[in-house]
Amino acid sequence: MNWLDEVKWDANGLVPVIAQEKGSKHVLMFAWMNREALEKTAELGRAVYFSRSRSKLWFKGEESGHVQTVHQIRMDCDNDVLLLEVTQTGHEPGIACHTGRHSCFFSRYENGRWTVTEPVLKDPATIYPPSPR
Amino acid sequence: MNWLDEVKWDANGLVPVIAQEKGSKHVLMFAWMNREALEKTAELGRAVYFSRSRSKLWFKGEESGHVQTVHQIRMDCDNDVLLLEVTQTGHEPGIACHTGRHSCFFSRYENGRWTVTEPVLKDPATIYPPSPR
């Protein structure tokens, strides 16, 4: 059986993906892949997701330059979630989030409210081209 | 606005949740929560998920004793994914996976196939009660 067939794709042909930074082990982001995205990720050694909002392959870093080099692809016990070990390139420290932060998980729950806990490392206006997306 | 209302629940009233081990920073598992599960998790300081297969709250460890103490709850930039920082109790080293392994992410992609990379720490037959589940 082809390794791509072993993944349990959901009703939309997608699988959830967690990206974790090599070294720091920070969880950087969460996204989705379809079959083609996973195949490309393995082939290129860089993270390729499927953008649900734009309904197309999303070569992480294609606009921002913040490409994710993929060192390892793992799958969970139910074959329906993937975990990538990545190096977040293009900025030091790495910026995975579209808000210009290191990680997308910058809100923390505390005493009945969500608090922002991570600084913006780079203004998003300077990360993304001004053309309509 | 109530902090629970800030979460963008999906069409089924759920949100994906990543559990990461405090200290080792290993990603242990991935599951789902509904509003009640998240509220209970914050209230009790232990992970409560929503089991999609059983359509009910799943107090992690209720059968296995492998309870997850929750130290931190984080949310991502789109308010639609949660990240828990947990201590996996009940066995040393912690067992998060129903297969008796430390982490659910024990399959690794290598040269066109998935390979099991983590040992079974405890026989699942001795973790779960023999009664029909």
Side-chain angles (χ1 to χ4, degrees), chain A residues 20 25 74-75 105 107, chain B residues 20 25 74-75 105 107:
Chain A
Q20 183 176 29
K25 292 185 188 286
R74 285 181 172 254
M75 186 164 66
F105 294 92
S107 287
Chain B
Q20 184 176 28
K25 294 186 187 285
R74 285 180 173 254
M75 186 164 66
F105 294 92
S107 286

Side-chain angles (χ1 to χ4, degrees), chain A residues 21-33:
Chain A
E21 191 174 45
K22 186 181 166 90
S24 75
K25 292 185 188 286
H26 294 145
V27 174
L28 297 178
M29 57 177 282
F30 172 93
W32 297 82
M33 284 184 185

Side-chain angles (χ1 to χ4, degrees), chain A:
Chain A
M1 189 193 266
N2 183 286
W3 66 284
L4 292 162
D5 293 330
E6 291 186 53
V7 179
K8 280 193 199 137
W9 307 98
D10 73 9
N12 299 310
L14 302 176
V15 72
V17 184
I18 303 159
Q20 183 176 29
E21 191 174 45
K22 186 181 166 90
S24 75
K25 292 185 188 286
H26 294 145
V27 174
L28 297 178
M29 57 177 282
F30 172 93
W32 297 82
M33 284 184 185
N34 64 2
R35 189 183 168 98
E36 193 185 354
L38 178 55
E39 194 168 22
K40 286 273 179 216
T41 296
E43 180 190 324
L44 303 174
R46 63 171 280 192
V48 182
Y49 300 108
F50 182 80
S51 168
R52 295 186 302 169
S53 57
R54 289 178 284 162
S55 282
K56 62 170 196 168
L57 286 191
W58 164 30
F59 290 76
K60 174 70 178 166
E62 62 193 349
E63 289 185 58
S64 64
H66 300 162
V67 167
Q68 291 176 342
T69 303
V70 174
H71 304 286
Q72 207 178 114
I73 303 172
R74 285 181 172 254
M75 186 164 66
D76 80 336
C77 51
D78 293 326
N79 290 17
D80 62 1
V81 186
L82 302 177
L83 173 64
L84 306 182
E85 184 189 47
V86 306
T87 296
Q88 182 64 60
T89 72
H91 189 274
E92 188 52 43
I95 296 175
C97 185
H98 76 287
T99 65
R101 291 180 176 85
H102 175 57
S103 160
C104 292
F105 294 92
F106 56 78
S107 287
R108 179 182 170 155
Y109 172 76
E110 228 164 19
N111 302 318
R113 53 188 292 249
W114 297 101
T115 309
V116 170
T117 57
E118 284 197 36
V120 172
L121 300 174
K122 191 173 176 184
D123 180 354
T126 69
I127 298 178
Y128 298 98
S131 57
R133 298 178 66 193

